[in-house]
Amino acid sequence: MFLYSNATIRQIEQIYSQNFLMDIAGEAAAKFVRKLLLSANNQKIFHILIVAGKGNNGGDAFATAKYLLLQKSIFEKSGCDINISIIFAGDENKFSDDAAEAFKDLNLLLEQFPKNNEYCQFHRTIPTEILNCSKKIDLIIDGIFGIGLDANRSAESSFGDLIATTNSLAEQNNCPLLALDCPSGLFCDSGYAIQPAIKATHTLTFIADKPGLHTAFGGNLTGEIIVDDLGLDINTNFANSESENQAEIKPVGKIVELADFQKMLHKRENNSHKGTYGNVGILGGAKSMVGAAILAGRAALNLGSGRVFLGLSDNNAPVVDFCQPELMLRSADLLMHVALDVLVCGPGLGRSNEALRLLEESLSVQNATKLVLDADALNLIALHQDLQKLLITRPENSTILTPHPAEAARLLKCSVAEIQSDRINKAIELAKIFKSVVILKGNGTIITKYQAPQQTTAEIANESDKETKETKETKETKEIPKITSNENADLFYINVSGNPALATAGTGDILSGFIGALLAQGWNTFEAALAAVYLHGKAADELSKELGGNIGLTAGEFIPIARKIFNAWVYKNQK
């Protein structure tokens, strides 16, 4: 599923301005409402509360009400009926043009068929009988802001009170709360939310999916997300377009799916051995934190690495892991002399002078062409410019950084709140600064990589001017080539697998181990990052399903279920 920015959605709306998109959206929403209510198969009168603002989202809500009334007979055929209460939270003189038209259409329907006024009433405030729950509500529709939220509107306390009351009514009535396009209060580009924000059980988003629905607050506020493209199919219609007004109609991101790395999933050849599947080194395990390195090592071994070496900096560290004796434990210094395919640096590393020395050597040596930096490795890099310089000089995207928000904040010298309010751009900034693949962990993990600046046509032309006269003469009839990029290469990715079961110590360590195992088996850094994060979340989902909840799971429990899922991907082609 591709993700589109707010600006691009607005541009698409302009391109299709003659297609009456608001009307189509209203019809789509009415259809979804019917499906949602009639699935219960109750013969009753459904009381629907619609909360509408003055912008286009309010227009979507008015159009939804119109189509519910126009198709009222569908409810009647099922032995049901509807009653709609519309709360208009705005000034009729400040409607957007399209919202004004939708408002006019709804009122015209009520005038032409006066009996409809029995089934649909307008209110400026929520009626007392709804507030005190003497009139039970079966469904609430949010049409206050949608994707039209801005700083000025968010500052209006009246909307905050209305949103809080709407959430409270949904909870008191135990009814679905459907957000049209985007829950009001949520910024659809970033996932940041102004509180209070609508907490929807369902979000019906129009034209295309949006990144903010899937990260930061988005995961808490959207509920089930349904995308209705309103018949535009923009991924197809704009894919090969070269017209000027459509040149920027392209996605900014994508949801991680199995297909994004499926080409890397291969069955093992009979004629293979442990060396075929690579050597992973885990550097960490300072005093009282040896367990972090062991967890990472177990994860790497169970996801298919041929050999896993643990370099532990605690002088009193164990020499064998009796629960996983296949791991080869040694001192941290000895690890630096092992021929490795990938080095995972950071699990339980600590921030001592010894840790600093080991990290500096890890960034400098070339015994592992691929490097994964986690935990205190990231904290030390944030503290020391010399380490930052060493990291930047490594080959582009040969290193994977796996910060959680606090570690990202230290690396970017900002607050955690700043990271969380703009997760996507902060992840992109980290990738740009450190020329690395970045996994910004959290609700809706962001995965992105360094994109080298592309030359413009003018720059290519300038370079060609510097060529010898003889070379120029042989090329003077040739066109300057157009710059092209690999498919989806410039997109950020958001992972939506996983749940709060992962909110426990050690899960970051096993993620690093998963990444290390894939890299050792020859995966590219970016695809390894996508697959490991997706698998990490899938293991949590599967285990939570088996348990019937997500409380109290421990990191080590995710390893065997991840191994099972990974084998199913390879040998059964399962999702």
Side-chain angles (χ1 to χ4, degrees):
M1 181 72 73
F2 288 100
L3 305 169
Y4 287 78
S5 69
N6 198 0
T8 301
I9 296 295
R10 294 301 193 198
Q11 192 176 352
I12 293 168
E13 290 173 340
Q14 287 297 315
I15 292 170
Y16 290 99
S17 59
Q18 303 303 314
N19 289 47
F20 305 104
L21 292 181
M22 186 173 287
D23 209 56
I24 298 171
E27 187 173 10
K31 180 180 179 181
F32 182 76
V33 167
R34 292 197 309 271
K35 179 181 177 182
L36 197 61
L37 293 177
L38 293 178
S39 63
N41 201 28
N42 293 325
Q43 293 186 346
K44 60 177 289 185
I45 296 175
F46 291 109
H47 295 286
I48 301 170
L49 176 65
I50 297 178
V51 188
K54 64 188 178 185
N56 286 349
N57 200 229
D60 293 335
F62 298 140
T64 302
K66 181 184 77 172
Y67 277 101
L68 284 170
L69 289 173
L70 285 172
Q71 299 167 13
K72 186 171 172 291
S73 60
I74 299 176
F75 285 93
E76 293 171 345
K77 287 178 181 178
S78 300
C80 304
D81 212 335
I82 56 172
N83 179 272
I84 303 171
S85 298
I86 301 176
I87 313 303
F88 174 51
D91 185 344
E92 292 181 29
N93 298 314
K94 295 182 180 179
F95 272 135
S96 68
D97 291 343
D98 289 341
E101 191 67 27
F103 184 73
K104 178 182 175 182
D105 286 349
L106 177 57
N107 278 284
L108 185 62
L109 178 64
L110 296 174
E111 290 172 10
Q112 290 177 339
F113 301 95
K115 189 171 177 58
N116 278 333
N117 287 281
E118 298 177 22
Y119 309 109
C120 181
Q121 305 88 33
F122 276 93
H123 307 275
R124 297 298 299 184
T125 59
I126 299 176
T128 303
E129 64 267 24
I130 294 177
L131 288 173
N132 63 22
C133 294
S134 59
K135 180 178 181 179
K136 188 176 184 330
I137 299 298
D138 298 289
L139 172 72
I140 300 175
I141 298 175
D142 161 39
I144 303 173
F145 294 144
I147 66 172
L149 181 66
D150 58 44
N152 292 328
R153 288 183 179 180
S154 65
E156 298 179 42
S157 60
S158 59
F159 288 112
D161 293 340
L162 179 61
I163 287 171
T165 302
T166 302
N167 285 335
S168 179
L169 285 171
E171 186 175 350
Q172 290 169 20
N173 287 276
N174 191 28
C175 70
L177 202 172
L178 171 63
L180 300 179
D181 219 4
C182 176
S184 294
L186 178 68
F187 289 91
C188 67
D189 277 346
S190 66
Y192 180 67
I194 299 292
Q195 299 296 341
I198 287 291
K199 191 167 186 179
T201 59
H202 303 76
T203 296
L204 179 62
T205 195
F206 302 123
I207 300 178
D209 206 351
K210 290 93 179 171
L213 302 180
H214 299 280
T215 192
F217 289 97
N220 295 332
L221 299 176
T222 54
E224 180 186 355
I225 298 169
I226 305 94
V227 180
D228 193 309
D229 67 3
L230 307 184
L232 300 184
D233 192 13
I234 61 175
N235 290 327
T236 299
N237 290 341
F238 292 100
N240 300 310
S241 173
E242 295 183 0
S243 64
E244 291 184 6
N245 68 327
Q246 297 181 5
E248 297 303 316
I249 305 300
K250 58 183 180 180
V252 293
K254 191 178 182 300
I255 298 295
V256 181
E257 300 170 285
L258 182 62
D260 294 317
F261 51 85
Q262 197 163 23
K263 67 181 180 182
M264 300 300 296
L265 298 169
H266 299 295
K267 297 179 181 179
R268 294 198 161 185
E269 298 289 341
N270 290 335
N271 186 25
S272 64
H273 52 82
K274 62 188 177 186
T276 308
Y277 305 110
N279 294 339
V280 175
I282 310 289
L283 178 64
K287 187 175 181 180
S288 79
M289 294 186 288
V290 172
I294 290 175
L295 278 171
R298 290 179 182 177
L301 195 63
N302 280 269
L303 208 65
S305 177
R307 289 178 291 193
V308 179
F309 301 85
L310 267 60
L312 304 174
S313 59
D314 183 358
N315 291 330
N316 297 313
V319 294
V320 64
D321 174 8
F322 288 104
C323 292
Q324 192 79 72
E326 299 87 352
L327 294 174
M328 290 174 273
L329 280 58
R330 57 197 58 204
S331 71
D333 281 318
L334 286 177
L335 178 68
M336 309 311 289
H337 299 287
V338 176
L340 301 172
D341 296 287
V342 57
L343 176 62
V344 178
C345 187
L349 182 65
R351 305 187 201 181
S352 65
N353 289 335
E354 175 72 358
L356 178 61
R357 179 185 66 79
L358 290 167
L359 178 56
E360 183 175 12
E361 188 174 348
S362 300
L363 290 167
S364 304
V365 299
Q366 298 300 316
N367 69 327
T369 56
K370 296 174 182 176
L371 186 63
V372 180
L373 299 176
D374 185 29
D376 276 330
L378 299 172
N379 292 323
L380 286 170
I381 288 168
L383 290 171
H384 298 278
Q385 287 192 356
D386 289 346
L387 296 181
Q388 294 170 27
K389 291 176 182 177
L390 285 172
L391 173 55
I392 293 168
T393 57
R394 285 181 56 82
E396 294 173 3
N397 292 319
S398 65
T399 306
I400 300 177
L401 313 183
T402 65
H404 57 53
E407 291 160 350
R410 294 177 193 123
L411 287 166
L412 291 177
K413 305 288 189 292
C414 66
S415 68
V416 174
E418 288 176 278
I419 296 292
Q420 292 297 77
S421 66
D422 196 15
R423 284 172 53 80
I424 294 166
N425 285 323
K426 293 303 184 185
I428 292 170
E429 186 179 350
L430 280 169
K432 183 176 180 180
I433 291 172
F434 296 109
K435 298 183 177 180
S436 299
V437 174
V438 170
I439 298 170
L440 178 54
K441 295 182 285 196
N443 187 9
T445 291
I446 311 297
I447 307 103
T448 188
K449 66 179 178 179
Y450 173 68
Q451 299 291 335
Q454 291 186 343
Q455 289 181 302
T456 64
T457 303
E459 288 171 335
I460 295 174
N462 288 336
E463 284 191 7
S464 68
D465 288 340
K466 297 176 183 178
E467 294 177 351
T468 63
K469 181 179 179 181
E470 183 179 347
T471 305
K472 280 201 270 185
E473 286 173 354
T474 63
K475 293 186 176 182
E476 54 187 14
T477 59
K478 294 184 180 180
E479 270 188 30
I480 295 170
K482 291 182 179 179
I483 298 296
T484 58
S485 59
N486 294 330
E487 183 182 7
N488 304 335
D490 57 346
L491 302 180
F492 61 80
Y493 283 69
I494 300 179
N495 182 62
V496 297
S497 68
N499 62 71
L502 292 169
T504 187
T507 54
D509 301 313
I510 66 168
L511 174 62
S512 293
F514 290 161
I515 298 168
L518 296 178
L519 293 175
Q521 293 170 78
W523 286 49
N524 299 323
T525 51
F526 191 62
E527 286 162 328
L530 294 176
V533 172
Y534 185 64
L535 176 64
H536 193 239
K538 282 288 185 182
D541 291 337
E542 185 66 28
L543 205 53
S544 298
K545 183 179 177 181
E546 289 181 10
L547 183 66
N550 53 33
I551 298 172
L553 290 164
T554 56
E557 294 178 84
F558 297 110
I559 296 173
I561 194 71
R563 177 178 61 189
K564 179 181 177 181
I565 294 169
F566 189 74
N567 274 282
W569 288 349
V570 173
Y571 291 99
K572 298 179 184 178
N573 200 28
Q574 292 182 356
K575 295 182 180 181

